[in-house]
Amino acid sequence: MNHTEHPQGGPRLPYPPEQHVTGRSAQYLRGGMTVLVIIAVIYLLTSHWLHVLDALPYVFVVGMLAMHLFGHGGHGGHGGGHGGTGERSAANGK
């Protein structure tokens, strides 16, 4: 018997299967996390306003970088644009 196979014949997973939280408990968990994030944001804005203002330029730069790296999934990334060959030039008869 191979060490990667389960005695019943199926493959043995190296970790237990994920157990997704569903139903009411997921709503309570999501609601609780939302409340904690709101409390943290209010605390940061009221108690550490100057530090928040100091960090804003860095937040914008990191945000733009993240949007550039992860936001290109919608149109296929770089190089997949309109290069002049394709449907557009065929429709113009060129």
Side-chain angles (χ1 to χ4, degrees):
M1 176 170 79
N2 192 351
H3 290 286
T4 60
E5 292 181 11
H6 195 267
Q8 280 79 24
R12 185 177 66 165
L13 299 175
Y15 48 86
E18 292 182 18
Q19 296 177 355
H20 297 286
V21 181
T22 58
R24 275 204 186 278
S25 59
Q27 287 179 333
Y28 288 135
L29 181 65
R30 192 175 304 125
M33 292 300 291
T34 303
V35 168
L36 286 176
V37 167
I38 290 172
I39 290 171
V41 167
I42 290 172
Y43 173 74
L44 282 174
L45 291 178
T46 57
S47 298
H48 300 282
W49 180 246
L50 293 177
H51 298 295
V52 171
L53 288 179
D54 286 339
L56 276 181
Y58 302 108
V59 169
F60 286 135
V61 168
V62 169
M64 284 186 274
L65 178 66
M67 285 190 293
H68 183 77
L69 289 176
F70 301 114
H72 283 284
H75 63 78
H78 291 286
H82 308 290
T85 60
E87 296 177 14
R88 192 170 189 178
S89 21
N92 291 337
K94 295 179 183 178

